[in-house]
Amino acid sequence: MGNTVKYVLDESRIPRAWYNIVADLPSPPPPVLHPGTLQPVGPDDLAPLFPMSLIMQEVTTDREVEIPGPVRDVYRQWRPAPLFRARRLEQALQTPARIYYKYEGVSPAGSHKPNTAVPQAWYNKEAGITRIATETGAGQWGSSLAFAGALFGIEVEVFMVKVSYNQKPYRRALMESYGARCIASPSMETNFGRALLAKSPDNNGSLGIAISEAVEVAASRADTNYALGSVLNHVLLHQTVSGLEAIAQFELADDYPDVIVGCTGGGSNFAGIAFPFLGEQLRGGRKVRIVAVEPAACPSLTRGRYAYDFGDTGHMTPLAKMHTLGSSFMPPGFHAGGLRYHGMAPLVSHVKELGLIEARSYHQTQCFEAGVFFARNEGILPAPEANHAVKGAIDEALRCKEEGVGRTILFNLCGHGHFDMQAYMDYFGGRLTDNTYDESELAMALAGLPSVPEPA
Amino acid sequence: MGNTVKYVLDESRIPRAWYNIVADLPSPPPPVLHPGTLQPVGPDDLAPLFPMSLIMQEVTTDREVEIPGPVRDVYRQWRPAPLFRARRLEQALQTPARIYYKYEGVSPAGSHKPNTAVPQAWYNKEAGITRIATETGAGQWGSSLAFAGALFGIEVEVFMVKVSYNQKPYRRALMESYGARCIASPSMETNFGRALLAKSPDNNGSLGIAISEAVEVAASRADTNYALGSVLNHVLLHQTVSGLEAIAQFELADDYPDVIVGCTGGGSNFAGIAFPFLGEQLRGGRKVRIVAVEPAACPSLTRGRYAYDFGDTGHMTPLAKMHTLGSSFMPPGFHAGGLRYHGMAPLVSHVKELGLIEARSYHQTQCFEAGVFFARNEGILPAPEANHAVKGAIDEALRCKEEGVGRTILFNLCGHGHFDMQAYMDYFGGRLTDNTYDESELAMALAGLPSVPEPA
């Protein structure tokens, strides 16, 4: 029997700098606009929400951004994260493909999110901030920021989408274990939340609503900043620590990916694994196919429009050009809560428009089927979000088998599923449905996109 | 800020042999007896339940037992497990102590149990066995054997204590994800279960009952063996991979433990971390204090009798000399289900009798308090069982502070608490009670111990 092979790096090999793909792109991404003036936002516009260090990371064109020593010190509790060769899975599939996965579930919070939560908390602490407000859907991001806040002595307040707050008490308990405060959103703690609840007391919330509430709290208090777990350039930047490590690990393996697969919600774990490899290609290195896998029920990259849109429901954020289903789009229920967002990271959207990546979508049942197959062969039970990447990788491997070609496939296993067992129970119990959105609702949401004239 | 330091070993440093403390003890442990004849059991008596390779490990006096290549191949997916220096915890406690923890939660099942589940499944497969029956309380063991069974293509049938089966559906779902079958015990699938249910249809089960059912199934079917997750010599043997790695990691750290702390239910994670160090001491190396921490509600080492007893409720197992509360003892409810067993591993009991280890007990609330304090400083949320070791280590560190002495403390963080969030919710909600057993019930259980004459 072949066995799972682990490629480890000494902790001295934790990258000293994050990688910024903007430096290598043939064109820069379109600027983020102020919703009132429709002019590019400047650093001062963002200062009520973020520390200046993160704002500068958001707009920098430097190829490398140094990782602060204290952040690397925390990273090394679980980094470098292992790269595995899934030889048991390869054998079960009887594929000539070589399948590798980078496993980010080794972090204390169980996912890739601490890669950015830790630096975000640290930069805020350096800026004298004592409190951070944020939102969370499934809870991966909220618990990661809670973890990071505990390490640096920063209070963390998490607006959790109400339906998840009620359905996922265990995620909430994890945040509380780290000392964070967790509030069901929409809440009575913000003007936006109160207005929504006045209109519809039974409102179950959405990520867009929770973002609006957290932004409102951060904007109105000097001691409080806002933090986002995906979408923004600096978040994607922090996640590149994963892909940079993977490049070094492939050297150890004496191999190189032909195909890279990642799941996409906001886009950060995908960019984290893919951008460093894409950068090598853009600088004249080997070409690699990059495949973004998204849920068929919330398919921003494959069915959204590339347009300027708000990041939140309450329209408090700047306008970013991205693949979007419209900020009023309400995706149907499915279990990968971390992929339930109307928009896509502007940088991921931009490289998609440039033709540098592909995208495809899957329904959840086929993703759970892939995840269980993976668990029985590789031992790790993936998070529902990660199951999308597993499914994408397995399909690539099966194509190799059909074609009789032995390609090297890399995917990002961005987190374990230990907090998502209800989803697995529903899958085993035959209770999963592959909900789809209503086409007319999508059309309406897209019709509601803000009107932004093309730049001259 | 000081930071958590990780001591890693290259996978070439995974031990090539387990360590058997029997070789170094001043006297051998008393023999296991056949309950009918009261004579020492021979290998043939155990052959209906275990493969001969494991039976020989149970009785060997060799100091080293080679780890088979295929087992090491699986181990290296997560081994060597990291040793951490808890510098953030030290600072929070303002202690001069140096606190280290060996973290076994990095295994796919999230605990130390795969260290023995993998070799047990492998030896059974080598013996041509296609099916293993076992029991589980909290579910750590059952899910680990399910994981190991999936890797080697062995069917796994888990009798899960009914109260846990109902209260912990997520653990069950994890076992099912690995393809195992999980049965609420007592069940209608065994004579013993049917008899119990006929008498008391509402019987909620216990570990002792579930063991009886699994043993009955294994004894009655030629294709089926039995596996136990703790207590037995060969199980403790397999767990020494943890302590052996820790010895090498302390060399890297240029330090050596003065005190080792582990939690004890059946005794396997404790023995795994402690016995290799104790062996060094017995062979003339440095003396180390070793502290077993057990739940005050099920205190076999601190309140039990050192006597021959059955391992199960149905009295199907041989008699082992151990610290026991009596096989009819029903511990009150508490959250560390993995520590809810009436007996203690015969080898741990023996070294306790020899004065080589200490034991103490704690109530669960103070253990959860310690666990949450640990999580907020070290980022990892421990399993309720492991919280007992955390509490013991923190108390040792606080004693160092009082005495102004900088000792080196090592404890085994045997698993993460991601499947135990209900327990944390109960803790935060003030719903934990520190149940104690009834003294008269304990006296009655002890009075029911089998009568075994002292050897001539």
Side-chain angles (χ1 to χ4, degrees):
Chain A
M1 183 175 86
N3 246 300
T4 307
V5 182
K6 177 174 62 178
Y7 296 96
V8 287
L9 294 172
D10 185 80
E11 68 183 38
S12 67
R13 303 288 298 277
I14 295 173
R16 298 189 173 268
W18 294 296
Y19 167 66
N20 178 17
I21 198 166
V22 173
D24 290 319
L25 288 176
S27 66
V32 170
L33 304 182
H34 188 287
T37 64
L38 298 186
Q39 294 302 306
V41 297
D44 290 349
D45 294 317
L46 299 171
L49 298 184
F50 302 105
M52 197 48 71
S53 45
L54 288 177
I55 294 171
M56 297 320 290
Q57 289 184 4
E58 192 64 20
V59 296
T60 183
T61 56
D62 293 349
R63 180 173 289 123
E64 297 199 331
V65 175
E66 193 189 339
I67 305 178
V71 171
R72 291 181 82 241
D73 282 349
V74 175
Y75 275 174
R76 66 186 171 151
Q77 190 175 1
W78 70 92
R79 306 209 69 88
L83 176 77
F84 289 106
R85 167 120 181 244
R87 291 187 58 186
R88 293 193 296 247
L89 178 66
E90 291 168 18
Q91 280 175 283
L93 295 170
Q94 296 184 282
T95 173
R98 294 175 299 282
I99 309 176
Y100 294 81
Y101 55 99
K102 179 78 171 170
Y103 184 40
E104 292 289 339
V106 291
S107 79
S111 79
H112 65 294
K113 294 288 188 189
N115 293 339
T116 184
V118 171
Q120 288 196 54
W122 186 81
Y123 286 116
N124 272 291
K125 184 194 169 74
E126 286 296 292
I129 288 296
T130 58
R131 203 155 151 272
I132 301 179
T134 196
E135 71 289 324
T136 201
Q140 298 264 26
W141 166 243
S143 49
S144 297
L145 192 66
F147 155 69
L151 298 188
F152 294 114
I154 290 183
E155 277 182 66
V156 173
E157 205 159 76
V158 184
F159 288 89
M160 186 171 186
V161 177
K162 193 181 281 174
V163 59
S164 297
Y165 183 93
N166 291 325
Q167 283 177 358
K168 301 200 163 196
Y170 292 174
R171 269 282 176 198
R172 181 160 39 105
L174 181 60
M175 293 182 234
E176 289 168 0
S177 297
Y178 289 134
R181 187 166 160 254
C182 196
I183 307 129
S185 166
S187 77
M188 294 300 284
E189 305 208 0
T190 64
N191 292 329
F192 184 65
R194 283 187 290 270
L196 278 180
L197 290 172
K199 266 193 292 185
S200 55
D202 296 334
N203 191 312
N204 258 327
S206 74
L207 212 47
I209 293 169
I211 294 175
S212 296
E213 290 204 85
V215 167
E216 184 184 321
V217 165
S220 63
R221 287 185 53 154
D223 64 348
T224 304
N225 266 350
Y226 170 69
L228 190 65
S230 189
V231 177
L232 298 179
N233 297 354
H234 68 268
V235 180
L236 275 55
L237 177 78
H238 300 158
Q239 291 294 349
T240 60
V241 67
S242 178
L244 291 167
E245 287 176 5
I247 287 174
Q249 287 163 316
F250 268 99
E251 277 173 30
L252 285 183
D254 197 18
D255 205 342
Y256 197 85
D258 298 301
V259 189
I260 297 175
V261 180
C263 63
T264 45
S268 74
N269 95 76
F270 168 79
I273 193 79
F275 281 6
F277 288 94
L278 181 55
E280 297 221 321
Q281 172 186 325
L282 291 167
R283 293 193 303 278
R286 260 182 73 171
K287 171 139 180 63
V288 54
R289 268 183 64 223
I290 299 176
V291 182
V293 180
E294 61 184 10
C298 193
S300 56
L301 272 176
T302 53
R303 296 295 315 280
R305 189 173 301 165
Y306 185 55
Y308 272 103
D309 197 6
F310 291 97
D312 69 328
T313 307
H315 295 184
M316 297 177 198
T317 69
L319 296 170
K321 193 150 185 185
M322 57 184 179
H323 289 87
T324 178
L325 301 161
S327 66
S328 66
F329 178 76
M330 281 290 280
F334 59 94
H335 276 293
L339 308 183
R340 247 176 124 254
Y341 183 63
H342 68 276
M344 179 50 59
L347 268 176
V348 172
S349 297
H350 185 56
V351 298
K352 172 76 164 52
E353 285 301 298
L354 290 171
L356 297 170
I357 65 167
E358 306 167 22
R360 75 175 69 140
S361 71
Y362 291 112
H363 280 292
Q364 65 176 346
T365 305
Q366 58 193 149
C367 294
F368 275 93
E369 186 188 14
V372 168
F373 189 82
F374 179 83
R376 289 183 186 176
N377 286 288
E378 292 294 316
I380 299 170
L381 190 74
E385 292 81 3
N387 281 343
H388 289 73
V390 174
K391 170 67 179 163
I394 288 179
D395 276 7
E396 290 292 330
L398 292 175
R399 223 179 69 180
C400 288
K401 183 178 173 179
E402 272 172 37
E403 300 174 2
V405 183
R407 297 189 197 93
T408 296
I409 300 165
L410 164 66
F411 73 94
N412 201 7
L413 188 62
C414 59
H416 66 59
H418 295 177
F419 287 101
D420 303 283
M421 297 314 297
Q422 187 60 50
Y424 280 93
M425 288 179 66
D426 290 350
Y427 170 69
F428 289 123
R431 291 184 298 273
L432 281 194
T433 49
D434 287 337
N435 296 325
T436 51
Y437 52 86
D438 189 296
E439 289 287 349
S440 63
E441 280 180 26
L442 172 58
M444 216 152 72
L446 289 173
L449 286 173
S451 161
V452 178
E454 283 294 308
Chain B
M1 182 175 87
N3 245 299
T4 308
V5 181
K6 178 175 62 179
Y7 296 96
V8 287
L9 294 172
D10 184 80
E11 68 182 39
S12 67
R13 304 288 298 278
I14 296 173
R16 297 187 174 271
W18 296 295
Y19 167 66
N20 178 18
I21 197 164
V22 173
D24 291 318
L25 288 176
S27 66
V32 170
L33 304 183
H34 189 287
T37 65
L38 297 186
Q39 293 304 306
V41 297
D44 290 348
D45 294 317
L46 299 170
L49 298 184
F50 303 104
M52 199 46 71
S53 45
L54 288 176
I55 294 172
M56 296 322 289
Q57 289 184 3
E58 192 63 19
V59 296
T60 183
T61 56
D62 292 350
R63 181 173 289 123
E64 297 198 329
V65 175
E66 193 190 338
I67 305 177
V71 171
R72 291 181 82 240
D73 282 348
V74 175
Y75 274 175
R76 64 186 173 155
Q77 189 174 2
W78 69 94
R79 305 210 71 88
L83 176 77
F84 289 106
R85 167 122 181 243
R87 292 189 57 187
R88 295 193 297 247
L89 179 65
E90 291 168 17
Q91 280 174 284
L93 294 170
Q94 296 184 282
T95 174
R98 294 175 298 283
I99 308 175
Y100 295 80
Y101 55 100
K102 179 79 170 169
Y103 184 41
E104 293 288 340
V106 291
S107 79
S111 79
H112 64 293
K113 294 287 188 190
N115 293 339
T116 184
V118 171
Q120 288 196 52
W122 185 80
Y123 285 116
N124 273 290
K125 184 193 169 74
E126 285 295 293
I129 288 296
T130 58
R131 204 155 151 271
I132 301 178
T134 195
E135 70 290 325
T136 202
Q140 298 264 26
W141 167 243
S143 49
S144 298
L145 191 66
F147 154 69
L151 299 188
F152 294 113
I154 289 183
E155 277 181 67
V156 173
E157 203 158 79
V158 184
F159 289 88
M160 186 171 186
V161 177
K162 193 181 280 174
V163 60
S164 297
Y165 183 92
N166 291 326
Q167 283 175 359
K168 302 202 163 192
Y170 292 175
R171 269 284 175 198
R172 183 160 37 108
L174 181 60
M175 293 182 235
E176 288 168 358
S177 296
Y178 289 133
R181 185 165 161 254
C182 195
I183 306 129
S185 166
S187 76
M188 294 300 284
E189 305 207 358
T190 64
N191 292 328
F192 184 64
R194 283 187 292 269
L196 278 179
L197 289 172
K199 265 193 291 188
S200 54
D202 297 333
N203 192 312
N204 258 328
S206 74
L207 212 47
I209 293 170
I211 294 175
S212 297
E213 291 204 83
V215 167
E216 183 184 323
V217 165
S220 62
R221 286 184 54 153
D223 64 349
T224 304
N225 265 350
Y226 170 69
L228 191 64
S230 189
V231 178
L232 298 179
N233 297 354
H234 69 269
V235 180
L236 275 56
L237 177 78
H238 300 158
Q239 291 294 349
T240 60
V241 66
S242 177
L244 291 167
E245 286 176 4
I247 287 175
Q249 286 163 316
F250 269 99
E251 277 173 32
L252 284 183
D254 197 19
D255 204 343
Y256 198 86
D258 298 301
V259 189
I260 297 175
V261 181
C263 63
T264 44
S268 74
N269 95 77
F270 168 80
I273 193 80
F275 280 5
F277 288 94
L278 181 54
E280 296 222 322
Q281 172 187 324
L282 291 167
R283 294 192 303 277
R286 262 180 71 170
K287 171 139 179 65
V288 54
R289 269 184 62 224
I290 298 175
V291 182
V293 180
E294 62 183 9
C298 192
S300 56
L301 272 176
T302 54
R303 296 294 316 281
R305 188 173 303 164
Y306 186 54
Y308 272 102
D309 196 7
F310 290 97
D312 69 328
T313 307
H315 295 185
M316 299 177 196
T317 71
L319 295 171
K321 192 150 186 186
M322 57 183 178
H323 289 87
T324 178
L325 301 162
S327 67
S328 66
F329 178 76
M330 281 291 280
F334 59 96
H335 276 292
L339 309 183
R340 243 173 127 257
Y341 182 63
H342 68 274
M344 180 51 59
L347 268 176
V348 172
S349 297
H350 184 55
V351 298
K352 172 76 165 50
E353 284 302 297
L354 291 171
L356 297 170
I357 65 168
E358 306 167 21
R360 74 175 70 138
S361 72
Y362 291 113
H363 279 293
Q364 65 175 347
T365 306
Q366 57 193 151
C367 294
F368 275 93
E369 185 188 15
V372 169
F373 189 82
F374 179 83
R376 289 182 186 178
N377 285 289
E378 293 295 315
I380 299 169
L381 190 74
E385 292 82 3
N387 281 342
H388 290 73
V390 174
K391 170 67 178 162
I394 287 179
D395 276 8
E396 289 293 329
L398 293 175
R399 223 179 71 181
C400 287
K401 183 177 172 179
E402 272 173 36
E403 298 174 5
V405 182
R407 296 188 199 94
T408 297
I409 300 164
L410 165 65
F411 73 94
N412 202 7
L413 188 62
C414 59
H416 67 59
H418 294 176
F419 286 100
D420 304 283
M421 296 315 297
Q422 186 60 51
Y424 280 92
M425 287 180 65
D426 290 350
Y427 169 69
F428 289 123
R431 291 185 297 274
L432 282 194
T433 49
D434 287 338
N435 297 326
T436 51
Y437 52 87
D438 189 295
E439 289 287 350
S440 64
E441 281 181 26
L442 172 59
M444 216 152 71
L446 289 173
L449 286 173
S451 160
V452 178
E454 283 294 309

